Amino acid sequence: MSTITVVAKIVAKEENRAFVKEELLKLVTGSRTEAGCVNYNCLQDNEDANTFIMYENWKDAEALTLHAETPHYVGFKKAVQESLAELSLNKMTTIS
């Protein structure tokens, strides 16, 4: 089984930036405790403070599937759904 890398771009509406950041930090805390989590990092863009990148590595596809069902992930999605200007998610596998 291969490690799965997820790169997510999250752009908060400017007026909701602080709220989205707070919710992201909660998500990081919960996600890092999951058995299949290799690493889980949240970055904030230096030039556009509304833009966040999540960089995650999961033991395998099953671990990522389980992550998407956790209360902290489901709660995050529900909490921020109206606060985002953009959300993209890329699931990737290392090729070299």
Side-chain angles (χ1 to χ4, degrees), residues 11-93:
V11 181
K13 294 176 182 173
E14 188 166 354
E15 66 273 14
N16 297 338
R17 178 188 328 139
F19 171 73
V20 170
K21 184 176 182 177
E22 179 181 313
E23 292 299 312
L24 283 167
L25 293 173
K26 289 182 203 175
L27 178 60
V28 168
T29 299
S31 299
R32 286 181 176 167
T33 67
E34 295 177 52
C37 180
V38 176
N39 67 294
Y40 204 95
N41 298 297
C42 181
L43 302 104
Q44 187 171 21
D45 192 288
N46 290 336
E47 295 183 19
D48 178 4
N50 297 325
T51 300
F52 301 89
I53 299 293
M54 302 300 287
Y55 180 78
E56 318 162 21
N57 284 292
W58 296 93
K59 180 179 75 172
D60 53 31
E62 181 182 4
L64 180 57
T65 298
L66 292 172
H67 167 64
E69 299 169 355
T70 60
H72 51 269
Y73 183 79
V74 173
F76 168 78
K77 284 180 60 175
K78 185 176 180 180
V80 301
Q81 64 186 352
E82 299 298 322
S83 299
L84 302 182
E86 180 185 336
L87 173 64
S88 64
L89 181 75
N90 295 288
K91 298 176 186 175
M92 309 167 117
T93 302

